[in-house]
Amino acid sequence: MQRYDLVIVGAGPAGCLTALSAPASARMLMIERLRLPRDVICGGIVHADVMKRLEHLEPPRAVFSEPARIRWSLLDWSLEMGGPFTDRQYFNVDRAAFDAWLLERAKALENLDVRESTNFTGMEDRADGIRVQFQQHRRRESVVAGHLVGADGALSSVRKALGVDAPDYWVAIQETVRSQGAAVDRFLAFIGEGIGHYGWFIPKGRDAAVGIGISRSGNSPRETYELFRERLRRRHGIDGASLEKPRSRPVTRLRSAREICPGRGRVLLVGEAAGLICPWSGEGIGHAVRSGCMAGRALAAGNPLRSYRRRLMRLMPGMYFDLFGRKSMKRPWARRLIALGAPGTDFTPLSGSPYEPADG
């Protein structure tokens, strides 16, 4: 039976950053259930400090959408107010290109083997390591690993195999449309009655990513999405021909810090598999990058899980703040206070389209 120092389940940002941050002497195997390169739905908004962490990997221009640097505006349909929200700046990435770039950087490692279209099917903790079981097409295989990292998203099979309950999840629905807006330096987030959790409109060059996040209970996610698109047309004149069918995927719905699980024994969990996600916005790339880097570096320690737990503590103040913010943003009076006092926020009554028509 083949032996590896580390098996990583999942070839997204969390998995790739784990491999890129692990000791150069470690022999690694990465398995991914999808065909590579992956194409997952995502708004592709990345915090500036996260991109700074990736500067040493020299991201190519093709990773970014236009505009590459972007701010955001919040439109509150319940309060009938909206405008620029905070003065933070983000990077606007093409998620498929972003994932493909990180994967190529990981594949360049001489100590990493990559298997696509391969499903993790189970594990067994033994005296000589963890027996990791997987299946590629109809062929079942096993290897022995010193450590296992679950980087397999909201419905993590590795977390399930550990016997740890996963947090609930939202359903995110998104499609690409031909944008009627000129290239601007902001994306739009929508909250209020009838939207679900929140909706978004993110410029991507001459196109745009449009989507919503909604609870699995209540109205049909697809029907809610269609109503959201209709309200965009009617209220703001935001329309555009669909370039693909709307797609959906689960997004972790973190309600408490107690739902975060860094792992057990010789198994570490990163990204959404660990429950690491912004509780309010559902942004997961940042936590995937941070936790992947932390887990990879922790593997050099005598007790990787203990080292990883200590590193994750740096993220917890921000996580508690975001959990508080998620609860606060449900309350109209709290949103009014934020509109009045947050730096860079300038809310005015809603009227017309936030975008100017595109030329041609």
Side-chain angles (χ1 to χ4, degrees):
M1 189 178 296
Q2 279 190 295
R3 182 175 184 88
Y4 289 90
D5 297 302
L6 173 65
V7 172
I8 302 168
V9 180
C16 289
L17 266 300
T18 299
L20 289 164
S21 304
S25 60
R27 187 181 179 213
M28 299 179 288
L29 171 67
M30 178 185 288
I31 62 175
E32 167 59 51
R33 67 179 181 84
L34 300 176
R35 288 191 62 184
L36 298 173
R38 307 173 352 139
D39 183 14
V40 299
I41 68 167
C42 176
I45 299 299
V46 183
H47 286 265
D49 70 305
V50 173
M51 289 305 303
K52 190 171 183 64
R53 286 174 177 260
L54 301 176
E55 281 181 349
H56 68 288
L57 297 175
E58 300 178 348
R61 185 68 191 85
V63 162
F64 301 98
S65 297
E66 289 295 334
R69 293 175 181 266
I70 197 166
R71 299 180 189 275
W72 67 302
S73 290
L74 180 66
L75 282 70
D76 191 324
W77 283 345
S78 294
L79 297 182
E80 291 292 330
M81 297 179 67
F85 186 68
T86 78
D87 53 5
R88 285 186 180 179
Q89 190 173 64
Y90 302 82
F91 282 87
N92 185 15
V93 303
D94 178 322
R95 180 59 194 270
F98 183 81
D99 281 20
W101 161 63
L102 286 177
L103 178 62
E104 286 305 309
R105 292 305 305 253
K107 279 184 171 181
L109 296 171
E110 295 182 356
N111 57 328
L112 176 69
D113 298 331
V114 179
R115 302 276 291 271
E116 63 180 293
S117 302
T118 302
N119 289 304
F120 168 85
T121 57
M123 63 183 184
E124 180 186 355
D125 201 351
R126 311 191 314 183
D128 62 339
I130 300 173
R131 182 185 179 191
V132 182
Q133 301 154 347
F134 51 89
Q135 181 174 333
Q136 187 175 38
H137 305 302
R138 295 184 178 180
R139 182 182 177 186
R140 296 178 180 273
E141 297 182 58
S142 298
V143 299
V144 175
H147 286 86
L148 172 66
V149 170
D152 50 341
L155 303 181
S156 171
S157 297
V158 176
R159 181 167 177 148
K160 184 177 180 180
L162 272 180
V164 181
D165 290 338
D168 194 7
Y169 62 90
W170 302 100
V171 175
I173 300 178
Q174 180 177 288
E175 67 177 317
T176 302
V177 303
R178 183 68 68 197
S179 175
Q180 286 190 335
V184 294
D185 65 349
R186 66 188 187 279
F187 69 92
L188 307 178
F190 300 85
I191 58 176
E193 290 295 326
I195 297 178
H197 183 45
Y198 81 107
W200 59 88
F201 183 94
I202 305 172
K204 301 286 182 180
R206 302 297 292 181
D207 303 327
V210 181
I212 61 169
I214 185 171
S215 170
R216 293 182 295 148
S217 61
N219 297 333
S220 160
R222 294 282 178 176
E223 290 179 5
T224 303
Y225 175 71
E226 290 303 322
L227 289 172
F228 171 67
R229 288 277 276 134
E230 177 57 33
R231 290 178 77 177
L232 286 182
R233 297 184 191 101
R234 189 177 67 250
R235 297 206 55 173
H236 303 293
I238 297 176
D239 199 359
S242 297
L243 301 179
E244 63 176 355
K245 290 183 178 180
R247 295 184 292 157
S248 63
R249 75 174 180 94
V251 177
T252 298
R253 184 182 186 182
L254 190 70
R255 300 180 189 224
S256 166
R258 290 189 297 272
E259 295 177 316
I260 297 172
C261 176
R264 287 180 179 172
R266 288 180 282 197
V267 180
L268 278 61
L269 299 174
V270 295
E272 282 192 72
L276 294 167
I277 196 168
C278 176
W280 184 80
S281 69
E283 188 277 322
I285 298 177
H287 286 301
V289 169
R290 295 184 188 99
S291 62
C293 291
M294 290 175 178
R297 291 166 184 156
L299 289 164
N303 186 324
L305 180 59
R306 181 186 299 167
S307 175
Y308 179 50
R309 285 180 183 274
R310 288 174 177 169
R311 292 167 188 268
L312 280 183
M313 291 303 295
R314 304 172 198 164
L315 303 181
M316 295 314 296
M319 189 65 72
Y320 284 119
F321 180 83
D322 287 338
L323 281 165
F324 174 76
R326 181 183 71 83
K327 295 177 181 178
S328 299
M329 290 298 282
K330 291 182 178 180
R331 298 172 173 83
W333 62 265
R335 299 203 299 271
R336 287 185 184 276
L337 285 177
I338 292 171
L340 292 172
T345 300
D346 183 18
F347 278 13
T348 57
L350 292 180
S351 63
S353 172
Y355 289 142
E356 295 295 328
D359 296 332

